[in-house]
């Protein structure tokens, strides 16, 4: 071991890589409890838990690589994207966990969050009113009734590892629980619209693409201010603000 690599760090949590081990430090013990329980229940590959000593969770590194990252180019074949879609479908069809996850916030709560964030984005001068207004209209399609599924809740493209066309593991389960399946599909494809067809082909079934695109808008509107305040850059090429601009 030559060095400690900081994967992500902010006031709520941090993830470090030390050799072939990831150390997750989380100030909220309940999130760690959810992560461990969700990995136990999920019917898809997950990292091995090496040890747990609150507030630290140690996980084994996964083989393979991700299909890219938000703001970067997408990688992998169409078949690899389809394989990721099939794994997500397997998760969504699994028996429901007993708790509600981030993807399961109620329509009323989401509408309230959306109203508040849109007002703040304009009032604080973070985004122009035209951009906020248009994406707020797009986002409304996500505010509808949905059938609960076993959702990951933070299924960013950087959280799914593949070796060729085989999913080797999915990480970061602290937001998992019952929720809207299309939230996961939208999170995974955020910023990579050109791969949505391959992802949905692997996922199968009847996917409402209008709702997926609505979730892109809704998730981005809710994230811009938080990211800006926690040391991230939603204005970087291909990231959340560009996602919002693509809906204009």
């Amino acid at each position: 071991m030559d060095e400690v690599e900081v994967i992500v760090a902010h006031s709520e949590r941090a993830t470090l890589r030390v050799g072939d081990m990831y150390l997750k430090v989380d100030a909220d013990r309940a999130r760690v409890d959810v992560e461990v329980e969700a990995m136990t229940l999920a019917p898809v590959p997950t990292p091995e838990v090496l040890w747990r000593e609150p507030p630290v969770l140690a996980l084994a590194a996964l083989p393979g690589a991700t299909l890219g990252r938000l703001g970067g180019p997408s990688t992998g074949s169409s078949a690899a994207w389809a394989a990721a879609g099939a794994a997500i479908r397997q998760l969504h069809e699994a028996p429901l966990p007993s708790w509600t996850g981030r993807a399961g916030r109620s329509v009323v709560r989401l509408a309230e969050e959306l109203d508040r964030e849109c007002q703040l984005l304009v009032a604080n001068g973070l985004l122009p009113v035209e951009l906020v207004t248009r994406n707020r209209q797009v986002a409304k399609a996500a505010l509808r009734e949905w059938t609960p599924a076993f959702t990951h809740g933070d299924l960013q493209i950087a959280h799914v590892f593949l070796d060729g066309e085989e999913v080797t593991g999915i990480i970061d389960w602290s937001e998992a629980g019952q929720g809207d399946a299309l939230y996961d599909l939208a999170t995974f494809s955020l910023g990579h619209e050109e791969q949505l067809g391959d992802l949905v082909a692997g996922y199968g079934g009847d996917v409402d693409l209008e709702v997926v695109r609505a979730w892109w808008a809704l998730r981005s509107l809710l994230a811009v201010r938080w990211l800006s305040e926690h040391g991230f850059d939603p204005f970087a090429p291909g990231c959340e603000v560009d996602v919002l601009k693509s809906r204009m």
Side-chain angles (χ1 to χ4, degrees), residues 13-89:
R13 64 187 98 175
T15 301
L16 314 174
R17 179 162 186 168
V18 185
D20 290 331
M21 174 174 61
Y22 285 93
L23 299 178
K24 300 192 67 176
V25 185
D26 198 319
D28 186 344
R29 181 166 180 169
R31 280 197 297 252
V32 180
D33 292 339
V34 166
E35 178 149 18
V36 173
E37 180 68 11
M39 288 192 295
T40 300
L41 296 174
V44 294
T46 60
E48 176 189 0
V49 177
L50 299 176
W51 50 265
R52 182 182 179 189
E53 190 67 38
V56 182
L57 175 65
L59 302 169
L62 292 168
T66 67
L67 293 177
R69 60 178 178 80
L70 182 62
S74 60
T75 60
S77 63
S78 294
W81 278 85
I88 297 169
R89 166 70 81 172

